Amino acid sequence: MSTAYSTARAETLDPPRSSPDLDVRELEKRTRLMRIITRLIAVSDLGSREIARRAGLPVQKISDLLAGRLEHLDMDELNVLRRTLELEAP
């Protein structure tokens, strides 16, 4: 069996997954915001627990952000994190 045949057959059996709640523009905004927040975390003297406490979010959300799991955070949470970290910036 050729690779092309097996790939084509696999695509018909398992169609590509999509996330209907994330459109491209929304994902780009969240990605940009995630990068800003990640940089703010990198230059901050605060640990993940302290950042989460000040932002009023669970520590797991900070871990998800740092691991690049955007689907676990919504825009409101990202904006809260950004404001919290910007207040701490020198």
Side-chain angles (χ1 to χ4, degrees), residues 40-48 50-51 85 88 90:
L40 288 170
I41 290 172
V43 299
S44 172
D45 291 333
L46 303 174
S48 294
E50 184 61 21
I51 292 168
L85 291 163
E88 297 302 318

Side-chain angles (χ1 to χ4, degrees), residues 22-32 70-71:
L22 292 177
D23 67 1
V24 174
R25 284 185 217 107
E26 177 75 13
L27 190 57
E28 286 173 348
K29 287 179 190 176
R30 290 168 70 174
T31 302
R32 238 180 283 124
L70 279 176
E71 67 275 7

Side-chain angles (χ1 to χ4, degrees), residues 13-85:
L13 295 176
D14 187 24
R17 295 182 185 152
S18 64
S19 182
D21 60 329
L22 292 177
D23 67 1
V24 174
R25 284 185 217 107
E26 177 75 13
L27 190 57
E28 286 173 348
K29 287 179 190 176
R30 290 168 70 174
T31 302
R32 238 180 283 124
L33 196 49
M34 182 194 77
R35 288 180 180 162
I36 291 168
I37 294 167
T38 304
R39 288 183 193 131
L40 288 170
I41 290 172
V43 299
S44 172
D45 291 333
L46 303 174
S48 294
R49 286 185 180 168
E50 184 61 21
I51 292 168
R53 186 189 67 74
R54 292 182 185 195
L57 297 171
V59 178
Q60 184 61 43
K61 294 283 186 171
I62 307 300
S63 297
D64 290 339
L65 173 79
L66 295 173
R69 292 188 287 265
L70 279 176
E71 67 275 7
H72 293 248
L73 293 112
D74 60 31
M75 283 298 289
D76 292 334
E77 292 169 330
L78 291 169
N79 284 318
V80 166
L81 277 169
R82 182 179 184 176
R83 282 192 302 272
T84 300
L85 291 163

